Amino acid sequence: MKYSYEYPRAALTVDCVVFGLDEDDLQILLIQRDLPPFEGDWALPGGFVRLEETLDEAALRELSEETGLKNVYLEQLYSFGTVNRDPRERVVTVAYYALVNLSDHRVQAATDARNAAWFAVDDIPSLAFDHDQILEMAHERLRGKVRYQPIGFELLPPKFTLRQIQHLYEVILDRPLDKRNFRKKILSMGILIELDEVETDVAHRAARLYQFDRRKYKRLTKQGFHFEI
């Protein structure tokens, strides 16, 4: 038996805050809207949820359609439901944040996105809808969670230096870290694999490369290990 409802219902969307990291700053991926409302304005990637898909599926589909991103770390953030947040109709959005390694993902605008580009987190243009609030909450969530879970490795290439790890945490936490203490702590956790490889094509002295040992981290976690920076 099919049911029908006589009262108006809110529409449902997903919006994604995509973080990347370069040599200088934490980056945010934005799309330039090609349709009204806010045509020509910058916004977070996202769109309406289809009836046959889950929220996670909708978020991954929108990222793929609007930016070309696939196979990224994605986590649900929060729901935003201010009554007048969308001028078209009553819309509730479920926000996500994603972490990507810039060197592994080529961004390309598509569907209803006119353009897609990376912006430094401290140099974000005016955003459509309430996307500035969503971005602010995602940034705060990342700052908090990166200290207690090794999600920051999602922003690094598969092989990285200790300098790159420290840079990641300094940028996200927005404060300098003592080089000696940081390296001692991260190495003492036993979750990095030291490779018999060094950097190539660098102007400075080539540094040793490492990999994150995901399997060992999971095994240690089951034994009571707590990651903390």
Side-chain angles (χ1 to χ4, degrees), residues 5-197:
Y5 297 89
E6 297 180 356
Y7 55 85
R9 287 166 288 174
L12 181 64
T13 62
V14 288
D15 288 300
C16 303
V17 182
V18 184
F19 293 101
L21 183 73
D22 65 12
E23 288 295 324
D24 300 310
D25 300 296
L26 187 64
Q27 301 284 320
I28 305 294
L29 180 61
L30 301 176
I31 58 104
Q32 190 175 27
R33 291 179 57 80
D34 201 31
L35 298 172
F38 303 104
E39 181 178 359
D41 287 357
W42 292 95
L44 299 173
F48 288 93
V49 179
R50 295 173 180 171
L51 292 177
E52 72 278 6
E53 63 187 357
T54 66
L55 292 172
D56 288 3
E57 290 169 345
L60 290 170
R61 174 182 55 78
E62 286 292 340
L63 276 179
S64 176
E65 290 180 353
E66 292 192 338
T67 69
L69 291 179
K70 297 179 181 179
N71 302 318
V72 301
Y73 175 92
L74 188 72
E75 185 173 327
Q76 195 172 119
L77 173 66
Y78 195 74
S79 298
F80 294 80
T82 303
V83 174
N84 297 316
R85 60 177 303 275
D86 192 315
R88 293 170 293 188
E89 58 181 315
R90 178 76 169 94
V91 177
V92 174
T93 193
V94 178
Y96 285 77
Y97 70 96
L99 306 177
V100 303
N101 168 25
L102 295 182
S103 62
D104 285 349
H105 297 278
R106 182 173 178 268
V107 172
Q108 184 175 0
T111 62
D112 57 353
R114 183 181 303 175
N115 191 13
W118 292 99
F119 291 83
V121 72
D122 293 327
D123 191 25
I124 300 296
S126 178
L127 300 182
F129 306 103
D130 57 353
H131 289 185
D132 55 339
Q133 299 175 32
I134 298 175
L135 171 55
E136 182 179 357
M137 179 174 287
H139 195 188
E140 285 301 314
R141 175 71 63 84
L142 178 63
R143 278 197 186 116
K145 193 161 186 175
V146 78
R147 296 182 59 220
Y148 300 104
Q149 289 190 24
I151 60 173
F153 291 104
E154 301 290 342
L155 296 167
L156 294 175
K159 300 176 182 180
F160 48 79
T161 66
L162 295 179
R163 177 189 57 80
Q164 287 175 303
I165 304 175
Q166 183 171 342
H167 170 67
L168 180 152
Y169 280 96
E170 288 180 334
V171 168
I172 294 178
L173 300 177
D174 195 25
R175 59 183 175 87
L177 299 172
D178 181 77
K179 178 179 176 180
R180 181 177 180 181
N181 289 337
F182 177 83
R183 295 191 176 193
K184 181 179 179 181
K185 186 167 189 176
I186 197 73
L187 290 174
S188 69
M189 293 181 184
I191 57 174
L192 297 184
I193 302 172
E194 183 176 354
L195 303 175
D196 190 22
E197 300 177 49

